[in-house]
Amino acid sequence: MQVSIHGRTLELTQGDITDQKVDAIVNAANSHLAGGGGVDGAIHRRGGPTIMAETMRRYPEGCPTGSAVITSAGSLSARYVIHAVAPVWKGGQKGESGLLDSAFRRSFELASAHNCGQIALPALGCGVYGYPIDQASRIALGTAKRILEADPTIELVRFVLFGEGAYGAFAAALEELAA
């Protein structure tokens, strides 16, 4: 599923983010940038140890929640991995929506600053961090729409979703956004 925004593309696909042939992929990282499971584990396994070595060398203090940092992509097809830290869901009253928006926004800013015309992102925060997918999808797509409207560097934003449930939630949110 895709929509055009100012001649640029916002699309959804179901699959494995490590298979994407784009300029940058976004990693659902933890604040210690210490590797983990889910998307993070898959990216580090496929990209190889150079990603973790660079992350530890360049960002020894980690990355705060709501922000992102960038590294090379090791043996992945992408040029860069943007490590974004989403908030842990605590019921929605602890500033989670602002932090999630900020993590997505910072990811797009880093992509633009590194001349990445194509970026692939997961459903940040929706795995072990427990962010409700219906809410996260609206935040993610709203942020992506604002970036595509304002930043001519980014030509393609692709959300790569794992499983039919995530895809369905993002598809519903994209239909709302496009209406």
Side-chain angles (χ1 to χ4, degrees), residues 131-154:
Y131 211 106
I133 190 79
D134 58 329
Q135 294 178 43
S137 61
R138 288 185 189 98
I139 292 167
L141 293 169
T143 306
K145 180 179 186 269
R146 287 190 302 276
I147 292 299
L148 289 171
E149 289 171 342
D151 187 342
T153 304
I154 299 176

Side-chain angles (χ1 to χ4, degrees), residues 30-31 36 45 51-52 63 70 84 88 97 115 117-118 125 163 170 175:
N30 59 56
S31 62
R45 279 190 302 279
I51 297 172
M52 182 61 73
C63 178
I70 192 167
V88 174
S97 63
N115 295 311
Q118 303 169 330
F170 269 74
E175 286 178 12

Side-chain angles (χ1 to χ4, degrees), residues 100-108 121-124 136 139-140 143 159:
L100 186 60
D101 176 73
S102 179
F104 279 113
R105 191 174 61 251
R106 184 68 184 131
S107 296
F108 290 123
L121 306 97
L124 290 176
I139 292 167
T143 306
F159 284 93

Side-chain angles (χ1 to χ4, degrees), residues 69-132:
V69 296
I70 192 167
T71 64
S72 61
S75 58
L76 295 168
S77 295
R79 289 187 294 144
Y80 298 103
V81 173
I82 297 169
H83 308 268
V85 183
V88 174
W89 179 254
K90 296 179 180 169
Q93 303 304 313
K94 304 286 185 189
E96 295 99 314
S97 63
L99 289 168
L100 186 60
D101 176 73
S102 179
F104 279 113
R105 191 174 61 251
R106 184 68 184 131
S107 296
F108 290 123
E109 290 168 355
L110 286 168
S112 181
H114 289 81
N115 295 311
C116 296
Q118 303 169 330
I119 182 171
L121 306 97
L124 290 176
C126 296
V128 296
Y129 283 14
Y131 211 106

Side-chain angles (χ1 to χ4, degrees), residues 18-37:
T18 65
D19 291 333
Q20 301 303 304
K21 291 173 177 45
V22 292
D23 297 320
I25 61 172
V26 175
N27 179 18
N30 59 56
S31 62
H32 301 291
L33 303 176

